[in-house]
Structures are given as C-alpha cells and as structure tokens.
Amino acid sequence: MSKLNDKPENHISITIFASWIGIISLAIYLLYIGKSIFLPLVLSIYITYLIKALASLIESFTIKKIKVPGFASLTLSIIILFSAIGILVQVVAENISQIASEAPNYQTKLQIFFNKFVDHAETLVGSPITIAELNSQISFQAAILKLVGALQGIAGSTFQIFLYVAFLLLESSTLHLKIRAFARNDLQEIKINKILKAIGSNIEKYIWIKTIMSIAVALLSYFILIIMKIDFAAFWALLIFILNYIPYIGSVMAVTFPVAISLIQYNSLPQTGALILCLIACQIFVGNILEPRVAAKSLNLSPVVILLSLSLWGSVWGVTGMILSVPIMVMIMIILSEFEITKPLAILMSQSGKIT
C-alpha cells in the first residue's frame, strides 16, 4: 500500500521533465524550419552586442580629459561596424563568382593530383580504388559551391539584418521602461535587470575578444597567403576570420580551403606542408598565447557543452549556427543560474562548477 502512495511527486517530476523535453524539441524544430526568419534576427542581436562593445571601448578613451558622449560613441561604432561589414560583403561579392567559375578547373587539377598518388592510396586502403571513387568522395567543387551558397545566403540577408539592428538599438533605449511596467515589484525589476546586465556583459566581452583575435589571425594568415601567392588570398583570409569564431574546430576548418588550393595550384607537397605549418602557427599563437592574455576571465562554459552546442546549432543553422553557439549557450547558462530550480543545470554547464 505504501509503495503506491509514498512518492507521488515522482510522477509529477517525470511529467514536468517530459513536458520540458517536448517544449525544447518543438522549439528546436521551429528554429530549424523558421531559419530564414530567426537566423537574421539572432545575427542582428549578435551585431548589436558588438556595436555596444565597440561603443563602450570608444567611451573609455578621453581626448584632453573629455570623454566621448554616449550618443557620439554609439553613432561612431555603428559607422565603423557597418563600413567593415560593407567591405566584407564587397570582398565576398567580388570573389564568389570567380571562385565558383574556377571550381571545375580546381576539381580537374585535383583529379590529376589523385592520379599521381593512386598507388599510395591503394596501399593505404588495402584494396584497388579507382580515381572516380576517390574523386567522388573528395569533391572540392561540391565543397566550394556549398561554401559559396552559405556566404551568398548571409550576404543576401544583409539589408534585413541592418534593419533589425536599427530597431534593436532603438528598442534598447526604452527597455528599462518596459521592464518597470511589467515587473510585479521592485525586487523582480532588479532581478530582471541583473540577468540582462550579466548576459550583455558576458556576450559583449566574448564577441569583442573573439573579433579582435579573429582579425589578428586573419591578417597574419593573409600575409602568409600573399607571400606564398595563393589564389584568392583576401577571400581565404576573410573565411579564416569568420570561421575563427567557431570554437575548437573553426581553426581546422579555416585552413582547409587555402591548403587545398595550394595543393591544387602548385601540386607540391613541400610547399603545401610549409603553408600548413605557417597557418597552424598563426592559429596557435593567437588562440593559445595571445587570446588567453587578452581574455582576463573565462566564460566558464564546459568544453563538453561547447562541443554539444556546436553539434546542435550546427545541425539547426549550419556554419552560422556554429558561430553563434557559444553566445547562445552563455545566455542560456546565465538565465538558468538565476532560478533555484534550474541552477543545477547551469552548474553542470559551467567549466568550474561555480556560478557567480
């Protein structure tokens, strides 16, 4: 009799857990099918945080003991960032059509390269392998076209993203009034503002540091690509800049294309090996030496959580989702840490186990 009645709360817990799983699954599905709507919005939020981070930096400078006013710093940061995005879009537009048109030629050269090393490939595999089979498994043309399509999709949403950013900046000036209006009391208003401030501070810090480090590694890589006379050096440097936002695997993905181009362009293993060593050295210098010195405090996310988030958001929104995965998980962890019922989840997500 006691076994039937002693723990009815277990049934309630299971029901609540199942409900949350259903809600989360539905949310992920909606984010997937609504990619064209939600992705530009999330990108615009990302850019808005970057604008605010740049504005804060500008405000920290003084000219003859006079600080730059808040409105002026925000305006200047918008001009700087939108100009930079405009330049990036122009670089993409100028190179995309050329790379797409050259892709068949690169694929042909890749096939010639495979012809020279087919005997070695058969030795490694342990069975005969035809050039057609190897070529179908490693299709450089397909990879290039997929990359081009992804970049064209982002570039095509530029106007929509700019529009979102403009309205988000306007909305941020009246957000405190809205919070005061819907908060039940002063304590709840303080708590909401605390959560939003923590989210904003951590994401701004992450975006700012990651952007500076990405610029550094892209510039170093660009000089190396120019010195080694690799085709479309500016485009590959831009790709390295973008992919460097992806933790762990981004640096590997970033060097794949210029290395493949070098192998196809010069058909020389020593030169390609030298390029690999130089590009990896840049990644190690910036990622393992420079970035830890600049980043005074870790975002306190578990590496396992970062890898899982890369898989999740990558499957939902592709490469762009992988770039946004860390800021999204930081936001989720901060929100979970503010409520007693979800605080254990935030602790599990953290690297140190401490939630401040």
Side-chain angles (χ1 to χ4, degrees):
M1 187 72 174
S2 61
K3 290 182 179 179
L4 295 176
N5 299 321
D6 60 347
K7 290 185 178 180
E9 66 274 9
N10 289 344
H11 300 287
I12 298 174
S13 299
I14 293 172
T15 303
I16 293 172
F17 178 76
S19 300
W20 274 110
I21 291 295
I23 291 169
I24 293 170
S25 301
L26 179 61
I28 292 173
Y29 176 70
L30 291 174
L31 289 172
Y32 177 76
I33 63 172
K35 177 181 177 180
S36 60
I37 299 172
F38 293 113
L39 188 53
L41 178 60
V42 176
L43 277 171
S44 66
I45 294 171
Y46 194 94
I47 292 171
T48 302
Y49 276 118
L50 183 56
I51 288 172
K52 289 186 175 182
L54 183 57
S56 299
L57 180 68
I58 294 171
E59 281 185 46
S60 66
F61 292 109
T62 57
I63 303 172
K64 294 182 179 180
K65 297 182 179 180
I66 300 174
K67 287 189 175 183
V68 180
F71 178 76
S73 64
L74 185 63
T75 304
L76 187 58
S77 65
I78 292 171
I79 293 171
I80 292 171
L81 192 64
F82 279 13
S83 299
I85 292 174
I87 292 170
L88 295 181
V89 170
Q90 185 176 358
V91 170
V92 171
E94 288 177 354
N95 286 270
I96 267 181
S97 58
Q98 296 179 35
I99 293 173
S101 62
E102 286 293 325
N105 296 330
Y106 285 137
Q107 187 67 34
T108 302
K109 290 180 181 179
L110 187 62
Q111 187 171 346
I112 294 172
F113 176 80
F114 285 150
N115 278 324
K116 293 182 179 181
F117 293 94
V118 66
D119 293 335
H120 182 59
E122 287 179 351
T123 303
L124 291 176
V125 174
S127 60
I129 181 168
T130 65
I131 294 300
E133 288 172 341
L134 189 59
N135 198 35
S136 64
Q137 292 173 17
I138 307 175
S139 177
F140 187 80
Q141 184 177 356
I144 285 287
L145 293 176
K146 189 173 182 180
L147 172 66
V148 167
L151 292 175
Q152 282 178 329
I154 296 174
S157 303
T158 302
F159 177 75
Q160 186 180 3
I161 291 170
F162 283 177
L163 198 62
Y164 279 141
V165 169
F167 280 102
L168 284 170
L169 289 171
L170 290 172
E171 286 287 326
S172 64
S173 62
T174 60
L175 183 60
H176 66 286
L177 298 176
K178 295 178 181 180
I179 293 171
R180 185 177 300 169
F182 70 70
R184 290 193 299 268
N185 49 53
D186 292 342
L187 188 61
Q188 188 183 46
E189 181 184 347
I190 292 170
K191 189 171 186 178
I192 293 171
N193 284 322
K194 179 186 173 185
I195 294 172
L196 292 177
K197 185 177 180 181
I199 290 172
S201 175
N202 279 277
I203 293 179
E204 281 181 24
K205 179 185 69 176
Y206 170 79
I207 292 173
W208 180 241
I209 291 172
K210 207 64 182 174
T211 299
I212 294 297
M213 295 302 104
S214 296
I215 290 172
V217 75
L219 287 175
L220 289 172
S221 301
Y222 176 70
F223 289 131
I224 291 169
L225 294 171
I226 287 292
I227 291 169
M228 293 194 170
K229 298 180 179 179
I230 303 299
D231 291 345
F232 309 110
F235 183 80
W236 304 128
L238 172 60
L239 187 64
I240 289 170
F241 167 77
I242 294 171
L243 293 180
N244 197 61
Y245 281 95
I246 302 175
Y248 303 131
I249 63 173
S251 57
V252 177
M253 294 169 61
V255 302
T256 301
F257 284 100
V259 166
I261 288 291
S262 173
L263 189 62
I264 295 169
Q265 187 177 341
Y266 294 107
N267 197 10
S268 169
L269 286 177
Q271 181 163 346
T272 302
L275 178 64
I276 292 172
L277 290 175
C278 291
L279 291 178
I280 290 177
C282 289
Q283 296 283 350
I284 292 173
F285 171 72
V286 174
N288 295 353
I289 298 174
L290 190 59
E291 188 169 337
R293 292 178 181 272
V294 175
K297 184 181 176 184
S298 170
L299 287 172
N300 195 25
L301 268 180
S302 166
V304 175
V305 170
I306 292 175
L307 289 173
L308 287 174
S309 67
L310 285 173
S311 300
L312 172 62
W313 295 106
S315 62
V316 175
W317 286 340
V319 174
T320 310
M322 297 172 77
I323 293 171
L324 298 172
S325 62
V326 171
I328 291 172
M329 298 312 290
V330 168
M331 187 182 300
I332 291 172
M333 187 178 72
I334 292 171
I335 294 172
L336 292 176
S337 68
E338 292 297 324
F339 303 96
E340 288 301 321
I341 192 172
T342 55
K343 196 169 184 178
L345 292 175
I347 293 171
L348 288 174
M349 291 175 64
S350 69
Q351 184 176 11
S352 64
K354 296 180 180 179
I355 303 294
T356 55

